[in-house]
Amino acid sequence: MRRTRQLLQETLRKLLQTKRLDEILVQDITDAASVNRATFYDHYPDKFAIFEAMIAGDFHKLLQERNIRFDGTCSSALEAIILAVCEYLEQIHGNENDCARQGSFSSLMDAAVTRAIQAVVLNGLRSRATRVRVSLEILASTISWAIYGAGREWFYSAKRKPAEEIVPSLAKLILPLVSESSAAASDRAISPNGTKGRKKSISKKRRGAGR
């Protein structure tokens, strides 16, 4: 099954070198890959799904090649993810002709890469086994969009600095979001007025008043 998906994705990648996504039919993909339409639909509901899977797969591969692991606390890993996003944007937009052909589908690219970042961040947050004020999924989604949004804004800026120079600054902006789970954990241990075990103290006072 995995080999078939890889075959379909590579076939679409080759077709995109000469055609726009909206010009490519599912039949074009299946003919070029020498598989039937039923096999295609066993793996993907439509061409947009395979396009997103291809983009996300490319980004995951980039992270794996760099051995990037995120445990939800390491700022250096956060910087590595941001740098990977910046360099990936340069990579996929390296060919101006391809970029122009697929420009109308940039939103699909944005969503695919953001979901790939979200998966990495979510795994890191889950490994910490801590509660947060919102769900881990919402927090991971917020962090991933912040990372990708910052990288995208950097890429399209008129006079952008080298990625290596801007990444530390971007990481400082995003790090407070990553630290949300630590803050939530601290809030449970320390009350707003700085005292620990406040509920326990209140319970003791109530028991004393009832005697």
Side-chain angles (χ1 to χ4, degrees), residues 85-201:
V85 169
C86 292
E87 294 184 350
Y88 184 67
L89 285 169
E90 290 181 318
Q91 176 183 321
I92 62 176
H93 291 286
N95 187 316
E96 293 184 0
N97 291 329
D98 287 347
C99 179
R101 280 199 298 270
Q102 310 308 330
S104 59
F105 296 97
S106 61
S107 60
L108 287 177
M109 290 187 182
D110 295 345
V113 177
T114 303
R115 275 194 288 273
I117 300 170
Q118 183 179 358
V120 174
V121 172
L122 184 57
N123 286 336
L125 294 176
R126 283 174 174 167
S127 69
R128 298 181 63 179
T130 57
R131 294 182 180 179
V132 291
R133 297 182 180 90
V134 296
S135 70
L136 289 178
E137 289 76 14
I138 291 177
L139 181 57
S141 179
T142 303
I143 294 170
S144 62
W145 278 104
I147 291 174
Y148 186 75
R152 194 175 189 279
E153 187 66 25
W154 162 83
F155 179 79
Y156 285 107
S157 59
K159 296 181 180 179
R160 66 174 184 263
K161 297 180 180 179
E164 293 79 4
E165 292 183 17
I166 196 66
V167 163
S169 297
L170 297 181
K172 288 181 180 179
L173 292 174
I174 300 169
L175 192 57
L177 291 173
V178 178
S179 303
E180 167 69 12
S181 57
S182 296
S186 298
D187 287 348
R188 293 196 305 275
I190 303 175
S191 67
N193 62 7
T195 59
K196 295 184 179 181
R198 186 169 176 236
K199 290 184 178 180
K200 186 175 181 181
S201 298

Side-chain angles (χ1 to χ4, degrees), residues 202-211:
I202 293 174
S203 297
K204 286 183 178 180
K205 288 181 180 180
R206 287 177 177 173
R207 286 197 298 270
R211 291 177 181 174

Side-chain angles (χ1 to χ4, degrees), residues 29-67:
I29 300 173
T30 56
D31 287 348
S34 298
V35 300
N36 57 49
R37 291 173 64 89
T39 299
F40 178 93
Y41 289 116
D42 281 342
H43 295 84
Y44 300 103
D46 51 44
K47 65 181 180 181
F48 303 107
I50 188 175
F51 179 79
E52 290 188 36
M54 181 188 73
I55 295 296
D58 289 346
F59 186 72
H60 274 301
K61 182 179 179 181
L62 178 62
L63 295 180
Q64 290 172 356
E65 289 174 348
R66 300 184 178 198
N67 196 31

Side-chain angles (χ1 to χ4, degrees), residues 69-90:
R69 298 288 184 273
F70 182 65
D71 66 358
T73 60
C74 183
S75 60
S76 61
L78 177 62
E79 290 188 11
I81 294 174
I82 298 172
L83 180 61
V85 169
C86 292
E87 294 184 350
Y88 184 67
L89 285 169
E90 290 181 318

